[in-house]
Amino acid sequence: MLYIGCHLPSSKGYLAMGRHAVSLGANTFAFFTRNPRGGNAKQLNKADINAFLQLAENHNFGKLVAHAPYTMNLCSANESIREFSRNMLADDMTRLELTPGNYYNFHPGSHVGQGIDKGIEQIADALNATLKPTQTTTVLLEGMAGKGSEIGSKFEELRTILDKVELKEKMGICLDTCHLWEAGYNIVNDLNGVLEEFDRIIGINYLKAIHLNDSKNLIGAHKDRHERIGFGKIGTDPLIRIINHPQLKKLPFILETPNDDEGYSNEISLMRSNYTEW
Ligand code: FE
Ligand code: FE
Ligand code: ZN
């Protein structure tokens, strides 16, 4: 079973997202846990969540991959932004327990001049202050393209963060194909080599989800510009090899391509028609 979906608007609640996903042929999806401008997140509605959980069961949904707001930066040089980010993280952990057992993906952050080591320390401190042994959500660090002072464009940096987190069993990694490519990992000509490197440095069992995107840029560009499948510099065939790779094919794949509903629906059916069941 291929678990594939896309990033969906969340303002109308869980049931609306579930129905939207089904209408696109998706059986997982991503969504922002709150308005990226921050402030208080919308009150969650238990009836809405229960109706969604039933729909997800009826349609054999895979794990959801919630996305933290882009404004979260746990390693900002500014203490008030760090505090705002830690509060959002803690609040999101509480809220996600209403839809148990899913994934929560976040960008490790940008150290903005503080240096990678200090940034990594701050990210790990925030996770250690927040993660609880009883939580059912797995928190995923997203591998980044390496724009500006972004942390997490190298497997070694992701590994160093994991090393410093106490509750490692609550942690995982989400790889984004556009980010990998723009970070310099050659997933077009050497997918096996990239996965071997990931396994050697981090451990393949930490890999929990894939963001499936083409890229507007050449390998190593460090710009982070997503493109629709087949319209970028990665191309359709390498992405089809990714969804079929024995070490990846059971993971949830999330499209974050610049698309409308019709475009997402087309990309989902393109991937489904090129997926081999195991
Ligand atoms: Fe992301
Ligand atoms: Fe992504
Ligand atoms: Zn991106």
Side-chain angles (χ1 to χ4, degrees):
M1 169 76 82
L2 173 61
Y3 293 107
I4 187 165
C6 59
H7 194 104
L8 296 176
S10 56
S11 59
K12 294 189 179 122
Y14 276 93
L15 182 59
M17 287 193 283
R19 287 177 171 156
H20 193 171
V22 169
S23 78
L24 300 174
N27 52 0
T28 175
F29 57 88
F31 60 101
F32 286 126
T33 50
R34 62 184 64 227
N35 181 319
R37 302 275 150 254
N40 286 329
K42 232 177 69 198
Q43 192 69 39
L44 289 175
N45 173 335
K46 282 250 169 70
D48 175 59
I49 288 183
N50 288 335
F52 164 72
L53 291 173
Q54 188 61 58
L55 175 138
E57 193 185 317
N58 293 345
H59 291 271
N60 294 310
F61 273 36
K63 288 186 187 289
L64 308 183
V65 191
H67 199 305
Y70 284 131
T71 43
M72 176 183 282
N73 186 3
L74 294 169
C75 61
S76 169
N78 178 329
E79 161 60 20
S80 71
I81 295 176
R82 287 203 304 277
E83 191 191 352
F84 166 81
S85 302
R86 290 192 300 261
N87 289 339
M88 284 199 294
L89 175 66
D91 188 44
D92 282 348
M93 288 300 98
T94 307
R95 294 157 55 86
L96 285 171
E97 285 304 311
L98 295 171
T99 49
N102 289 303
Y103 295 140
Y104 176 78
N105 169 78
F106 80 99
H107 297 177
S110 296
H111 64 73
V112 274
Q114 301 191 94
I116 292 176
D117 294 347
K118 180 97 179 275
I120 285 177
E121 209 63 58
Q122 290 169 338
I123 296 161
D125 285 351
L127 289 165
N128 285 330
T130 310
L131 298 182
K132 295 193 173 71
T134 51
Q135 74 179 58
T136 64
T137 303
T138 303
V139 175
L140 310 185
L141 302 168
E142 181 169 353
M144 302 308 294
K147 197 171 63 176
S149 65
E150 263 174 4
I151 292 177
S153 64
K154 298 188 172 74
F155 295 160
E156 288 83 353
E157 294 169 5
L158 298 171
R159 165 66 195 257
T160 307
I161 297 171
L162 292 175
D163 277 343
K164 293 177 189 293
V165 175
E166 286 148 27
L167 292 171
K168 291 183 177 43
E169 67 276 18
K170 303 299 177 189
M171 296 294 301
I173 302 288
C174 173
L175 290 177
D176 181 312
T177 55
C178 168
H179 298 175
L180 273 174
W181 173 250
E182 293 203 19
Y185 291 102
N186 199 336
I187 53 172
V188 171
N189 293 315
D190 190 20
L191 177 59
N192 279 324
V194 172
L195 292 174
E196 276 161 28
E197 186 174 345
F198 183 91
D199 188 41
R200 180 165 46 80
I201 295 170
I202 297 179
I204 200 75
N205 291 334
Y206 274 106
L207 185 53
K208 304 295 187 194
I210 303 284
H211 287 170
L212 197 69
N213 302 306
D214 210 325
S215 162
K216 287 192 195 297
N217 297 301
L218 294 172
I219 186 168
H222 304 295
K223 287 186 180 146
D224 192 358
R225 298 285 309 282
H226 299 196
E227 182 53 283
R228 288 168 297 155
I229 305 298
F231 291 85
K233 300 287 195 275
I234 296 175
T236 307
D237 287 348
L239 295 170
I240 288 173
R241 286 197 292 275
I242 284 173
I243 62 164
N244 283 296
H245 192 283
Q247 288 179 304
L248 307 177
K249 65 186 301 170
K250 296 183 185 181
L251 302 177
F253 295 93
I254 304 293
L255 298 159
E256 300 173 311
T257 45
N259 265 315
D260 54 14
D261 277 0
E262 191 188 351
Y264 280 130
S265 166
N266 288 339
E267 289 183 351
I268 289 168
S269 48
L270 174 69
M271 289 297 139
R272 289 205 186 284
S273 62
N274 284 285
Y275 182 75
T276 314
E277 297 293 336
W278 63 84

